[in-house]
Amino acid sequence: MLERFLEPGDVFIDVGANIGYYSLLASGLVGRAGRVFSIEAHPAIHTQLLRNVQMAPTNNISAIHAAAAE
């Protein structure tokens, strides 16, 4: 589904990003001109998310340690 809807330059917001699987996929799809915001509340999982983001071939992902609600 992401491959069908995301294009270079888009913004993708991953709420409850977990370890960043979809964030990393979206990162490649939106490319250098796009942005990915990965939001994860659990401290240990956010730490793993940060590790995975650091290994990404692009630098368009912002990992945010926060909870999302209404």
Side-chain angles (χ1 to χ4, degrees):
M1 183 173 76
L2 293 181
E3 292 173 329
R4 186 185 318 171
F5 292 106
L6 288 178
E7 298 178 357
D10 281 350
V11 174
F12 180 77
I13 301 171
D14 190 358
V15 178
N18 201 280
I19 62 169
Y21 177 82
Y22 291 108
S23 295
L24 293 167
L25 177 60
S27 172
L29 295 171
V30 302
R32 291 182 181 187
R35 294 290 305 155
V36 176
F37 296 95
S38 304
I39 303 167
E40 177 54 51
H42 192 281
I45 296 173
H46 183 261
T47 299
Q48 185 62 51
L49 170 63
L50 287 173
R51 286 188 196 121
N52 292 339
V53 167
Q54 290 172 350
M55 293 188 305
T58 62
N59 61 353
N60 62 353
I61 304 174
S62 296
I64 302 163
H65 186 213
E70 291 180 44

